[in-house]
Amino acid sequence: MKQIWLIFLKDIQQEFKTRYAINAIMLFAIVTLSAVSFSIGAYTATTRVLAALFWIILFFSSMSGLSHIFIREEETQTADTLKLVARPSSIYLGKFFFNLILLILLEVILIPLFIAIMNFKVVSFQIFLLTMFIGNFGLAGGGTMVAAIISKASTKGALFTVLSFPILLPVLISGISATRKAAESVKLMDAQNELQALLAYGVIIIVASILLFDFVWNE
Amino acid sequence: MLNAKMELIAEKIVKRFVHFLVLKNISFKVSSGSAIAITGPNGSGKTTLVKILCNLMAPTRGQVVYQNNSQKINREDIFQYIGLVGPYLQLYQELSAQENIDFFARMRNLKNYSARVKQLMELFNLSGREHDAVKTYSSGMQQRLKYVCALIHEPEVLFVDEPRSNLDQAGIEAVYSILQEQKKDKILVISTNDQEDLTLADQIIRVGVA
């Protein structure tokens, strides 16, 4: 646990000094949201369309920053230094928690802006916030693992989104469906299937990543 | 870890990169109180062998075994026993020297290490620069700081790849004093092509030689 905490703190310290990942995802989110807003114009989109647009913005914004956590270690040649002092599972979990915080910060900015600009009316905040909270685990868990896989490749940026999409598709599908229900229904039970799917995916991807990370990280 | 009898055993190490055979059946055994040197021409696999020994790279065949008082050390726990300084290992450039030192010391579960750090910073003539970002250091100062980070936990096995690289005369003398001290009761592994460095070794492993 101590190693996980120390790696997380080290990454926070580095991010605080460079602000690379946070700037990348925030700028991407704001630019994409503006582009979508201008494209739609006066057209009143259905909750189904708005929920899909929200998750597309969230997915691609997070893709612009989540991979940085491992790419930075490879590009600055600190990956071997880190390997030398840490257990693989601690490295994965430390990086996972950093990406989780990054996603939460993104959503703190993106959600109010999306609601205000796109006129998205959330009926059940309970469903909406639960969807975001549980969905974050799947997004951060899968994104962190894919980031570790692509960090050694030469075409990192493009590969990250392409590889992440099929892996994170269950989060997108369940997230879009649960977000739509948050805008249509007030009963938590109505979104039970989607929330269970998000939770199951999050647990599976994190456990599988912890088990497999040693093979990815050490060749 | 004091007074421990450490052994580093390499058993028939083979490393192949696709069709290129780099290391072929490298075997040796080294115990506390001795030094081993790995030497060979450029591209012969010296660094590859050091990385395999440090658990940074997996061999194609063969194995590396660490024993502490005849007890095999788990692969996951090896990091607590070893220190490595090499040109391919970098420190965190945005962080200060002290932040780097604190990170590596705490990762190794050290508690009271400030006296040891002070002693090493003085030895490597880095006192007073603890709070400067590493990116403001010259390459020679960064090399000295790498030694500080690798030595805080007084490793039972110290690996040094190209011990003189980027160092001035004072730095080389500081490194030599550390290496001499290390081989007295611990294990020292040097990867080098310098004839003077080879005089430190009790055993010499030549790689890339038919």
Side-chain angles (χ1 to χ4, degrees), chain A residues 14 17 73 81 84 87, chain B residues 77 79 90 92 94 99:
Chain A
Q14 276 187 289
K17 291 185 181 186
E73 299 279 2
T81 319
L84 204 64
R87 294 184 176 91
Chain B
D77 298 324
F79 73 93
Q90 296 300 325
Y92 292 102
E94 304 88 3
E99 285 166 341

Side-chain angles (χ1 to χ4, degrees), chain A residues 7-8 12-13 16 24-25 39 47 61 63 75 88 95 111 114 117 154 160 170 181-183 201 203-204:
Chain A
I7 291 168
F8 171 74
I12 292 279
Q13 260 182 323
F16 186 73
I25 62 167
S39 311
T47 52
S61 303
M63 289 304 103
E75 287 183 345
K95 305 279 186 195
I111 291 171
F114 188 85
I117 294 172
S154 53
F160 183 59
K181 287 186 178 172
Y201 178 85
V203 171
I204 290 167

Side-chain angles (χ1 to χ4, degrees), chain A residues 17-82:
Chain A
K17 291 185 181 186
T18 60
R19 295 190 183 90
Y20 179 91
I22 191 84
N23 284 345
I25 62 167
M26 291 303 173
L27 286 174
F28 196 97
I30 291 167
V31 169
T32 319
L33 182 59
S34 308
V36 168
S37 166
F38 286 128
S39 311
I40 286 185
Y43 170 72
T44 310
T46 61
T47 52
R48 184 184 291 270
V49 172
L50 286 175
L53 284 174
F54 173 78
W55 275 89
I56 288 169
I57 295 171
L58 180 64
F59 174 77
F60 284 102
S61 303
S62 60
M63 289 304 103
S64 66
L66 293 190
S67 62
H68 184 61
I69 196 83
F70 279 110
I71 291 176
R72 180 168 59 194
E73 299 279 2
E74 288 294 337
E75 287 183 345
T76 56
Q77 293 181 292
T78 51
D80 278 346
T81 319
L82 188 59

Side-chain angles (χ1 to χ4, degrees), chain B residues 14-33:
Chain B
V14 174
K15 183 66 185 180
R16 184 185 287 277
F17 291 112
V18 195
H19 299 299
F20 182 53
L21 183 65
V22 182
L23 300 171
K24 189 180 174 187
N25 285 331
I26 304 285
S27 296
F28 62 84
K29 182 176 177 179
V30 57
S31 309
S32 297

Side-chain angles (χ1 to χ4, degrees), chain A residues 2-15 17-18 72-73 76-91 95 214 217-219, chain B residues 15 17 51 54-59 75-80 82-84 87-96 99 102-111:
Chain A
K2 193 184 171 191
Q3 283 205 335
I4 298 168
W5 175 241
L6 287 170
I7 291 168
F8 171 74
L9 274 187
K10 185 269 294 175
D11 285 331
I12 292 279
Q13 260 182 323
Q14 276 187 289
E15 183 58 31
K17 291 185 181 186
T18 60
R72 180 168 59 194
E73 299 279 2
T76 56
Q77 293 181 292
T78 51
D80 278 346
T81 319
L82 188 59
K83 271 182 204 172
L84 204 64
V85 294
R87 294 184 176 91
S89 55
S90 307
I91 296 173
K95 305 279 186 195
D214 192 11
W217 186 238
N218 294 316
E219 289 188 288
Chain B
K15 183 66 185 180
F17 291 112
K51 284 188 172 183
C54 290
N55 207 19
L56 293 177
M57 190 184 275
R75 188 169 164 261
E76 284 216 326
D77 298 324
I78 289 169
F79 73 93
Q80 292 179 332
I82 65 174
L84 167 63
Y88 40 84
L89 282 191
Q90 296 300 325
L91 300 168
Y92 292 102
Q93 299 288 312
E94 304 88 3
L95 304 185
S96 70
E99 285 166 341
D102 288 341
F103 175 68
F104 293 115
R106 287 172 189 162
M107 287 297 286
R108 288 185 158 120
N109 219 13
L110 299 183
K111 289 193 172 72

Side-chain angles (χ1 to χ4, degrees), chain A residues 158-172:
Chain A
L159 204 59
F160 183 59
T161 312
V162 170
L163 258 186
S164 296
F165 183 70
I167 291 172
L168 297 177
L169 199 57
V171 182
L172 276 179

Side-chain angles (χ1 to χ4, degrees), chain B residues 101-162:
Chain B
I101 290 166
D102 288 341
F103 175 68
F104 293 115
R106 287 172 189 162
M107 287 297 286
R108 288 185 158 120
N109 219 13
L110 299 183
K111 289 193 172 72
N112 303 312
Y113 56 88
S114 53
R116 172 79 175 154
V117 170
K118 191 169 177 249
Q119 177 204 349
L120 288 168
M121 292 296 271
E122 280 170 8
L123 176 68
F124 285 104
N125 204 17
L126 290 172
S127 298
R129 297 290 305 268
E130 291 88 346
H131 300 291
D132 294 346
V134 172
K135 64 184 172 193
T136 66
Y137 278 32
S138 69
S139 54
M141 289 167 72
Q142 289 195 28
Q143 183 71 2
R144 289 162 184 246
L145 188 59
K146 286 182 200 174
Y147 276 97
V148 176
C149 291
L151 291 164
I152 323 166
H153 61 302
E154 301 181 55
E156 288 297 326
V157 188
L158 177 64
F159 294 87
V160 187
D161 199 345
E162 305 292 353

